[in-house]
Amino acid sequence: MTLAAVLKGATEYLSARGVDTARVDAELLLARALGLSRIELYTQHDRPLTEAERAAARELVQRRGRREPLAYVLGDWDFRRLTLKTDARALVPRPETEIVVERCLALLDGVAAPRIADVGTGSGAIALALKQERPDARVVAPEALALARENADAHGLEVELVEGDLLAGVRGPFQLVVSNPPYVDAGELETLEPELGWEPRAALVDTGQTGRLARGARDVLDGWLVLEVHERRAGSAAEDLSTLGYDGVSIKLDLAGRERVVEARWAPTTAASNEP
């Protein structure tokens, strides 16, 4: 069986199982299984595959057919300038979170050697991207997973990883606190794509973490709080921050035009009189 035939069969298999990006996923999976680039899949399209090659490709395609996230099947995922190890210990880094990093960099423009806290870092995507693109920053990542350490070591990036609940045990002041906290309601899970069932529930379901973080950040922050939020709840998140005494509250859109990022400023010397 030729490479072209295997690619065609993999695409049809994934499409039949509801994968919207079946062709692209099949290309990426076969390229990984065979150690080829996507271009080489076509320059070698008439090459017969060995049974060992077909078995390697079949294993990856079948995993994706069970709707395991593509990033978990591949074992790594690109995020801004980084390629991060990915597995079921943490959420898959998503394009909308790259917008969060962009906003953080914009808010820190002109701030020398900023101190940054990335709360609930998971794979380390936000913390490591900020450290890579702002080498002068001191980045602390509370609630860090071992996966974040593995990615930090792989890229030679120095961040301080701290185990704990939200900002517990972390001392400020920070010029920026950023987080992609859980923001899915438990009742929404059944309506979402099957891939989310593979990701850690604790990193998906909001049990009040966003509110606790917004309140707690005031104790360590002298600058900006940046949150990734549910597209339908950005307005309420912004209102909550205003009620808590933050100023400069605004909502930013992701690349799809959805209200995805809420940012607000906390300055202890001027906000103390407004604090509830």
Side-chain angles (χ1 to χ4, degrees), residues 175-188:
Q175 282 69 58
L176 185 138
V177 172
V178 57
S179 183
N180 176 15
Y183 55 71
V184 176
D185 284 341
E188 294 178 303

Side-chain angles (χ1 to χ4, degrees), residues 24 29 100 128 144 162-164 182 201 214 233:
V24 172
L29 293 168
V100 174
L128 297 176
V162 181
E163 292 186 13
R201 183 184 176 92
R233 291 191 279 278

Side-chain angles (χ1 to χ4, degrees), residues 204-225:
L204 286 171
V205 178
D206 182 8
T207 57
Q209 296 95 326
T210 301
R212 290 194 292 119
L213 173 60
R215 292 188 293 274
R218 297 175 301 180
D219 296 330
V220 299
L221 186 60
D222 188 358
W224 290 95
L225 175 65

Side-chain angles (χ1 to χ4, degrees), residues 31-84:
R32 180 60 56 88
L34 303 176
L36 301 174
S37 68
R38 288 174 69 185
I39 293 176
E40 288 173 327
L41 295 179
Y42 293 94
T43 60
Q44 301 182 27
H45 70 280
D46 57 351
R47 174 171 72 83
L49 298 187
T50 66
E51 180 53 39
E53 289 175 325
R54 291 172 59 189
R58 185 183 306 116
E59 178 185 358
L60 297 186
V61 171
Q62 287 179 342
R63 286 176 62 187
R64 184 68 183 107
R66 293 192 290 271
R67 304 300 294 272
E68 183 176 353
L70 179 63
Y72 290 172
V73 180
L74 293 173
D76 57 56
W77 202 246
D78 291 339
F79 183 84
R80 292 186 69 83
R81 304 174 187 174
L82 300 167
T83 299
L84 301 172

Side-chain angles (χ1 to χ4, degrees), residues 72-156:
Y72 290 172
V73 180
L74 293 173
D76 57 56
W77 202 246
D78 291 339
F79 183 84
R80 292 186 69 83
R81 304 174 187 174
L82 300 167
T83 299
L84 301 172
K85 178 179 180 181
T86 49
D87 60 36
R89 287 177 289 177
L91 297 180
V92 174
R94 289 171 166 81
E96 49 265 37
T97 306
E98 296 195 26
I99 303 300
V100 174
V101 174
E102 288 184 9
R103 290 306 308 155
C104 291
L105 293 170
L107 293 168
L108 292 172
D109 187 33
V111 180
R115 296 187 75 233
I116 302 168
D118 170 26
V119 181
T121 197
S123 66
I126 294 175
L128 297 176
L130 289 172
K131 181 62 178 179
Q132 184 187 59
E133 297 180 47
R134 281 295 304 263
D136 64 323
R138 178 187 170 188
V139 182
V140 178
E143 291 192 288
L145 295 172
L147 182 59
R149 169 53 62 197
E150 293 167 22
N151 280 320
D153 291 345
H155 288 278

